[in-house]
Amino acid sequence: KTNNHPNNLEWISRSDNLNHYYQSLDGMSKRPRGQKQWQAKFTDDEIRLIRSMKANKATNIEISNAIGKSVTASNVCNIISGRTYGHIK
């Protein structure tokens, strides 16, 4: 990772690069999840807040307005159902 000299680099496809990435992580079980993933929209604490608001009978729209960012009612639904961020309790 530290030697980026042209003689030490190779051209590979995106698919090959992703395969190498997953092999280096020992498969999908160690793939970055939640806020550790570079594309994460929410922190673990925000996910817990969303779930606690829903447990207190807030609607998805009320939750999305309270959280702000670019969260939609659909995002909230996916978080509540565990479709996304299901690993966070």
Side-chain angles (χ1 to χ4, degrees), residues 56 63 77 79:
N56 291 325
I63 295 170
C77 182
I79 291 167

Side-chain angles (χ1 to χ4, degrees), residues 1 8 10 13 18 22 30 32 34 36 42 45-46 59 65 71:
K1 291 185 174 185
N8 192 45
E10 65 179 339
S13 67
L18 287 172
Y22 289 126
K30 294 184 182 177
K36 293 179 183 174
F42 307 103
D45 290 336
E46 288 171 329
T59 67
N65 290 338
V71 62

